[in-house]
């Protein structure tokens, strides 16, 4: 299957065999041919899908894990350890500590003074960060920008915390004048800054946000679920100086969420939350009569909200980071290719007569709309977008897969979009997440296909 996998698997079997023979109960036995049939049926069912791993797919934030992650996950799943407690799997607990220390190192936290763990998702990771924020600023609101992920507003409802929305600029980053005005009343205890918004990949001006918030004793949580690993490019030339500065200032945030299952080459089920100050561990304390007996130290089960969680996720991330360490030359090379793809495509779109950029991409997400050089109603543009979107979803090698984004008038720069006639409240545009390094070389082909479809689908 994977190089070295059979040996690694044999090594584990060898380990288990020291306890003597273990007979599988007949109730679990299945004929090989039935197993094969079901797998075949499953493969058939799985074909009802979009080709996320193929270069023609440039739509949503989706891509398959790297083979090392898949192999490591599968191997660790043979043991199926559980991160709920140290007894659930000492080996994967240790691997999790090591990957968390690596993530802390990447963002500039001091591992010995900080606290963190993997989670099943960015949603849970953000929930934990907002929960700690509530405990530290009881009775105060949490603010996130209009471009922030919808999970913040929703999780504030779950936590019974008031949520305030801060306006975003037309590049989708937080409007700092509006932030200052919102903070003036003194009712906001925590501000969520987003490094890599989900729709446009915008990066909030974190150095300024930290300055504004520190002066008022307001907590800053950074949601870098999508964009966190772009920290690896902050010392190079591929990010704008402002975006690079935002990444370099991450260490000033009180908490940070990064999803290895987005840009860390991992299968789903791998988010992370990091707290700058390890003492927040006190909020997690619980008294369980049944899970702990092997350690006096705070361990993963005592510092996370989730109980059962795949130990295999830590194994997969650890193995991946052995091959792609969190450096500019390691995983950074993969991120650099996705960023190159976005820069290239943005340049092609800017020159095109048939497409218009919504805004310059900060990371690797490019949003654009079809244009004819003439005034058009937004309902016409939206219908045209829809036709292009559909035209690409073919079952042959000339396909292209994009995503769509619904935008309101205030999200578009009036200086550039004066030709739009607003006959309805929203306009649908095309969105492309260029998450795969292969996109860097594919972009000219992708652009040609999209332009061809735009011309053909204008009607
Ligand atoms: C994806 C994402 C989330 C949600 O994370 P999940 O892993 O999908 O639960 C939160 N915030 C941002 C900015 C994201 O991109």
């Amino acid at each position: 299957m994977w190089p070295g996998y059979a040996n690694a698997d044999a090594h584990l079997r060898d380990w288990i065999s020291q306890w003597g023979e273990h007979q599988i109960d007949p109730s679990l036995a299945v004929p090989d041919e039935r197993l094969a049939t079901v797998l075949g049926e499953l493969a058939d069912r799985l074909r009802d899908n979009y080709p996320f791993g193929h270069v023609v797919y440039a739509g949503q934030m989706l891509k398959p894990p790297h083979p090392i992650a898949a192999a490591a996950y599968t191997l660790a799943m043979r043991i199926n350890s559980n991160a709920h407690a140290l007894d659930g799997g000492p080996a994967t607990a240790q691997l999790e500590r090591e990957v968390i220390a690596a993530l802390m190192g990447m963002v500039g936290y001091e591992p010995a003074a900080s606290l963190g763990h993997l989670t099943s998702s960015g949603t849970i990771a953000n929930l934990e960060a907002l929960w700690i924020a509530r405990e530290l600023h009881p009775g105060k609101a949490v603010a996130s920008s209009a471009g922030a992920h919808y999970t913040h507003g929703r999780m504030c409802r779950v936590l019974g915390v008031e949520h305030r929305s801060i306006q975003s600029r037309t590049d989708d980053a937080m409007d700092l004048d509006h932030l200052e005005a919102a903070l003036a009343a003194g009712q906001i205890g925590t501000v969520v800054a987003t490094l890599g918004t989900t729709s446009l990949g915008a990066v909030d001006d974190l150095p300024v946000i930290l300055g504004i918030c520190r002066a008022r004793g307001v907590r800053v949580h950074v949601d870098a679920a999508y964009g966190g690993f772009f920290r690896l490019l902050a010392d190079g030339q591929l990010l704008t100086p402002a975006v690079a500065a935002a990444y370099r200032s991450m260490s000033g945030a009180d908490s940070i969420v990064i999803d290895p299952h987005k840009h860390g080459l991992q299968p789903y089920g791998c988010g992370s939350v990091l707290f700058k100050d390890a003492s927040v561990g006190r909020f997690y304390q619980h008294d369980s009569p049944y899970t702990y007996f092997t350690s006096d130290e705070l361990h993963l089960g005592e510092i996370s909200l989730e109980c059962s969680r795949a130990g295999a996720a830590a194994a997969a991330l650890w193995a991946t980071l052995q091959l792609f360490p969190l450096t500019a030359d390691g995983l950074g090379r993969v991120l650099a290719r996705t960023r190159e793809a976005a820069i290239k495509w943005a340049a092609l779109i800017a020159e095109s007569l048939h497409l218009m950029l919504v805004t310059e991409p900060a990371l690797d997400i490019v949003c654009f709309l079809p244009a004819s050089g003439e005034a058009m109603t937004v309902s016409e543009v939206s219908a045209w977008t829809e036709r292009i979107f559909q035209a690409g979803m073919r079952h042959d090698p000339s396909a292209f897969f994009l995503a769509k984004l619904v935008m309101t008038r205030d999200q578009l720069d009036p200086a550039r979009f004066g030709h739009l006639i607003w006959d309805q409240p929203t306009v649908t545009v095309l969105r492309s997440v260029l998450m795969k390094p292969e996109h860097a070389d594919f972009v000219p082909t992708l652009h040609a296909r999209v332009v061809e479809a735009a011309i053909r689908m204008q009607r």
Side-chain angles (χ1 to χ4, degrees):
M1 224 170 10
W2 297 286
Y5 187 81
N7 277 344
D9 190 61
H11 198 50
L12 272 188
R13 280 173 199 272
D14 210 35
W15 168 75
I16 195 90
S17 71
Q18 68 187 305
W19 289 283
E21 210 185 330
H22 170 80
Q23 282 290 346
I24 300 289
D25 189 78
S27 67
L28 292 170
V30 289
D32 284 358
E33 82 205 29
R34 274 295 295 148
L35 198 142
T37 306
V38 171
L39 281 180
E41 272 173 30
L42 176 61
D44 208 40
R45 298 285 297 267
L46 289 174
R47 290 168 60 119
D48 177 19
N49 242 318
Y50 304 101
F52 305 123
H54 197 285
V55 72
V56 296
Y57 186 86
Q60 308 274 8
M61 293 173 172
L62 283 156
K63 65 174 185 180
H66 191 278
I68 184 62
Y73 197 103
T74 308
L75 187 68
M77 201 171 53
R78 303 258 294 134
I79 292 173
N80 203 26
S81 58
N82 186 334
H84 76 123
L86 202 51
D87 328 326
T92 46
Q94 180 55 30
L95 296 174
E96 181 160 335
R97 283 206 190 92
E98 290 176 30
V99 298
I100 287 296
L103 288 169
M104 287 171 172
M106 178 177 80
V107 301
Y109 279 3
E110 176 54 54
S114 309
L115 191 78
H117 58 88
L118 297 180
T119 60
S120 294
S121 68
T123 304
I124 296 294
N126 277 308
L127 169 65
E128 291 194 22
L130 296 187
W131 168 59
I132 294 294
R134 183 193 75 183
E135 298 301 293
L136 287 168
H137 291 278
K140 296 240 170 138
V142 168
S144 64
S145 75
H149 199 281
Y150 62 80
T151 190
H152 299 290
R154 202 156 68 169
M155 285 308 176
C156 282
R157 291 207 294 280
V158 171
L159 291 166
V161 174
E162 188 193 340
H163 177 257
R164 304 267 176 93
S165 187
I166 308 294
Q167 284 169 18
S168 290
R169 308 183 308 223
T170 53
D171 64 358
D172 208 32
M174 186 183 285
D175 182 324
L176 301 178
D177 293 335
H178 195 246
L179 173 66
E180 287 214 78
L183 289 177
Q187 286 152 3
I188 294 171
T190 301
V191 169
V192 178
T194 306
L195 301 191
T197 60
T198 310
S199 48
L200 292 175
V203 173
D204 285 346
D205 194 344
L206 187 58
V208 176
I209 293 172
L210 286 169
I212 294 173
C213 290
R214 264 200 215 108
R216 294 177 168 83
V218 169
R219 191 174 170 82
V220 176
H221 168 60
V222 165
D223 182 0
Y226 183 73
F229 290 106
F230 284 95
R231 173 67 185 83
L232 301 172
L233 304 188
D235 300 315
Q237 304 301 315
L238 284 170
L239 302 178
T240 64
V243 169
Y247 278 104
R248 282 196 302 268
S249 71
M250 281 174 99
S251 59
D254 297 295
S255 54
I256 300 174
V257 162
I258 299 174
D259 267 3
H261 70 203
K262 287 216 176 115
H263 251 308
L265 309 176
Q266 299 308 295
Y268 286 120
C270 194
S272 73
V273 60
L274 310 174
F275 295 98
K276 187 182 175 112
D277 175 3
S279 75
V280 301
R282 67 188 184 276
F283 294 113
Y284 284 91
Q285 262 174 13
H286 63 96
D287 219 354
S288 153
Y290 39 80
T291 36
Y292 313 116
F293 54 85
T294 52
S295 169
D296 293 334
E297 260 180 75
L298 270 187
H299 51 73
L300 296 170
E302 289 166 308
I303 55 158
S304 67
L305 274 190
E306 290 172 275
C307 297
S308 292
R309 184 162 57 73
L317 182 56
W318 179 86
T320 305
L321 296 186
Q322 302 311 297
L323 300 183
F324 300 92
L326 297 177
T327 60
D329 290 339
L331 186 65
R333 283 179 56 213
V334 181
L335 276 288
R337 293 289 281 162
T338 71
R339 173 69 185 140
E340 272 171 40
I343 292 171
K344 258 199 214 175
W345 202 6
L348 290 171
I349 292 170
E351 286 167 14
S352 165
L353 300 174
H354 308 286
L355 304 176
M356 266 185 93
L357 271 183
V358 167
T359 186
E360 281 296 327
L363 301 178
D364 60 353
I365 303 176
V366 179
C367 295
F368 55 94
L369 52 164
S372 64
E374 282 163 28
M376 283 186 88
T377 63
V378 292
S379 57
E380 283 173 318
V381 172
S382 301
W384 193 1
T385 290
E386 183 66 36
R387 292 194 297 273
I388 298 170
F389 173 76
Q390 294 292 344
M393 295 201 289
R394 304 159 60 91
H395 290 269
D396 64 48
S398 72
F400 59 86
F401 291 82
L402 302 173
K404 292 180 288 182
L405 177 66
V406 176
M407 303 189 77
T408 52
R409 186 172 193 164
D410 58 316
Q411 291 177 289
L412 290 168
D413 180 359
R416 295 183 50 239
F417 292 96
H419 69 286
L420 294 181
I421 301 159
W422 290 83
D423 63 335
Q424 61 180 38
T426 61
V427 62
T428 307
V429 306
L430 290 157
R431 170 169 166 269
S432 176
V433 182
L434 298 165
M435 271 186 110
K436 289 187 282 284
E438 294 84 2
H439 283 138
D441 290 337
F442 186 65
V443 150
T445 309
L446 179 60
H447 179 70
R449 288 180 193 177
V450 175
V451 166
E452 188 275 327
I455 295 168
R456 190 158 44 88
M457 292 294 149
Q458 187 175 356
R459 287 225 199 107

